[in-house]
Structures are given as structure tokens and as C-alpha cells.
Amino acid sequence: MAVMQRLKQKTRQLIDSKHMLTSITAASFLESTIVPIPLEAVLVPLMQARRDKLWLIALMATIGCVIGALFGYALGYYLFDAVGDWVINSFSSPAQFEQVTEQMQQQGFWFVITLGIVPIPFQIAMLAAGATKYSLLMFLIATTIARSIRYFGLALVVYFAGNQAERIIKKHKTKAMLGLTVLVLLIWWLTTLL
């Protein structure tokens, strides 16, 4: 609970900071690489307080995450032998990483989109994409789509719900994530039929 209080305090300081957008980009980068605390805890209150920059906040969060994804991909691509075991044991398990690697080789694009939307550590997908030498372009496109859905979706809720957005997101987050995941999996399945 102390972590959430500190996040709320930092968010209040960030609202009027001239470095707000840079800070959001940096926080998104860190969240996608090494800090497994959901960025929504900061983004939603910030979006509510700064509706004049709502879409720009979502864009900067997306950019930070894509840069973080590129960093994670590079780690997997170039340094998997050196850091792979540490990342796997920190964010997952060897068995789970093996499943992710297998999925990456078979259906990488849709797999990255799915992992980018659901609230599980994205680090494992980044590392697996790099370790399996999955197409960097396809990885970045899938990451951008997934994180845009996530951050611009939050902005959309704030746009329509205003100050009630945080309460609505908390109440319906699980259902929304489940619905989005099912939708992505359905589209993924339909592409296998074509």
C-alpha cells in the first residue's frame, strides 16, 4: 500500500511539471523493461488532471513502451546467453519461457499483441522475440498496436468518463482485459483460417 501512496504523491507532483511528458515516456520505458508496476496507477490520475494533454500522454506512454520493447528485444537478441536466465527467473519460469518461445516461433505477431494487452509481464515476450530472432519490424508493429490499444484505451475512458474514469477502470479492468484478449485471440484464429 505504501508503494501506491508514493505513486499518487509522485503523480500529483508530475501534473504541473514541465517535464511531465518526458517523465511519462521514461516511466513507460521502465515499466516495460525492469519495473513490474502497472503504469495505469500513474497514467489514469494524470490523464484525469491534464485532459488538455490526454492524447499526448497516451502517445508518450506508447513511445516509451516501444523504446523499452526495442531494448528488451536487443537484450534477447544479443545478450540472451548472458542475461536470459536472470530475466526468465525474475519475471517468469523456464517452463513458461519455453512455451513463449515456441509460440513466438509459430505465431509471433499475434502472440506479441496478446501479451502486450493482457496484464502479465511483457518482458518475457520481448526477450523471447529477440532470442528467437523474430522479425524486428513485425515485433515493433505488434508492440505498437498492443500498447496503443492499452494506453489510448485508457485515454478514451478518461475522455468519456472524466473524473469517474479511475473508478470505472478499477471496476471493469478484468472484464475489459478478458474481452480484449478474447477479441485478439478470435482475430488471431481467423487469420490462421485464411
Side-chain angles (χ1 to χ4, degrees):
M1 196 56 114
V3 173
M4 294 308 283
Q5 291 293 17
R6 280 192 301 208
L7 280 175
K8 288 183 188 264
Q9 182 182 1
K10 289 289 183 191
T11 302
R12 283 188 215 104
Q13 293 171 354
L14 192 58
I15 288 170
D16 296 320
S17 169
K18 64 181 180 178
H19 304 292
M20 176 190 66
L21 295 174
T22 306
S23 298
I24 285 300
T25 306
S28 181
F29 171 83
L30 290 172
E31 188 247 355
S32 68
T33 54
I34 58 173
V35 182
I37 295 175
L39 192 58
E40 289 87 349
V42 173
L43 274 184
V44 174
L46 185 61
M47 287 176 168
Q48 287 175 310
R50 294 298 306 266
R51 288 193 200 124
D52 59 316
K53 302 225 184 266
L54 179 66
W55 306 110
L56 196 52
I57 292 168
L59 176 64
M60 298 311 285
T62 302
I63 289 170
C65 186
V66 170
I67 293 169
L70 185 59
F71 176 77
Y73 181 95
L75 278 178
Y77 194 93
Y78 295 109
L79 300 173
F80 182 75
D81 293 334
V83 299
D85 288 338
W86 175 80
V87 174
I88 290 168
N89 291 324
S90 296
F91 296 106
S92 180
S93 69
Q96 186 180 22
F97 182 75
E98 186 61 38
Q99 289 175 330
V100 169
T101 302
E102 189 176 307
Q103 285 294 325
M104 188 64 67
Q105 291 169 339
Q106 294 173 6
Q107 292 286 334
F109 183 80
W110 291 103
F111 191 66
V112 171
I113 287 181
T114 304
L115 289 181
I117 292 173
V118 298
I120 62 172
F122 191 58
Q123 292 87 346
I124 201 77
M126 298 183 302
L127 188 66
T132 60
K133 313 294 191 257
Y134 181 71
S135 164
L136 177 60
L137 178 62
M138 295 306 288
F139 173 73
L140 289 175
I141 291 170
T143 299
T144 303
I145 291 169
R147 293 311 194 175
S148 293
I149 289 170
R150 181 178 173 189
Y151 298 132
F152 283 93
L154 291 174
L156 202 59
V157 173
V158 171
Y159 181 79
F160 286 110
N163 290 334
Q164 299 299 314
E166 195 169 7
R167 182 186 59 78
I168 290 169
I169 289 168
K170 282 181 184 175
K171 183 177 180 183
H172 299 288
K173 182 179 180 177
T174 303
K175 288 183 256 183
M177 288 295 171
L178 184 60
L180 277 172
T181 303
V182 168
L183 179 63
V184 169
L185 291 174
L186 179 63
I187 294 169
W188 180 356
W189 177 74
L190 289 172
T191 63
T192 63
L193 298 177
L194 301 176

